[in-house]
Amino acid sequence: MKRAAAGAILLVAWMSGLRVQTTSTQEGVVMDASGGAVEGCLVTAVEVQTGLSRAVRTGVAGRYAAPGLMPGSYRVEAGREGFRTAEAEGVKLSAGRTVQVEFTLQVAGQREQMQVKGEVGAVSTNAADWGG
């Protein structure tokens, strides 16, 4: 009886070491066009089939990590105010794997508004005034 109990304990201990990893991690760095780290950038991974998403922010060095993602095909976006949003499509995550996705953000274009002022002269509707 003692032998069976000891065997069962060993079996449970051995099986607990064989945990199956069912999730994956997506991580990377977000930089600007000059190579500087973009702190506080929102990185969102969206699983294409389910639409489920996970959002994380980059740290001081521009690094981010999104652990615990289910395997699948993802669209990943990185964006921050003052920059154009960057996107990576078709990011494949497999169980137990870590996938690196790096982003380089471009500065957003500035909007310019120009106001033109002028005066319009009188317009004649008389054909004789048109000349020609």
Side-chain angles (χ1 to χ4, degrees), residues 46-82:
V46 179
E47 205 284 328
V48 175
Q49 286 197 321
T50 64
L52 294 174
S53 66
R54 160 84 68 62
V56 296
R57 291 216 180 259
T58 58
V60 176
R63 296 202 57 75
Y64 70 93
L69 296 172
M70 297 306 295
S73 181
Y74 285 78
R75 183 184 76 249
V76 185
E77 296 178 349
R80 179 161 182 213
E81 187 176 337

Side-chain angles (χ1 to χ4, degrees), residues 19 97 116:
R19 283 186 235 139
R97 303 284 181 176
V116 178

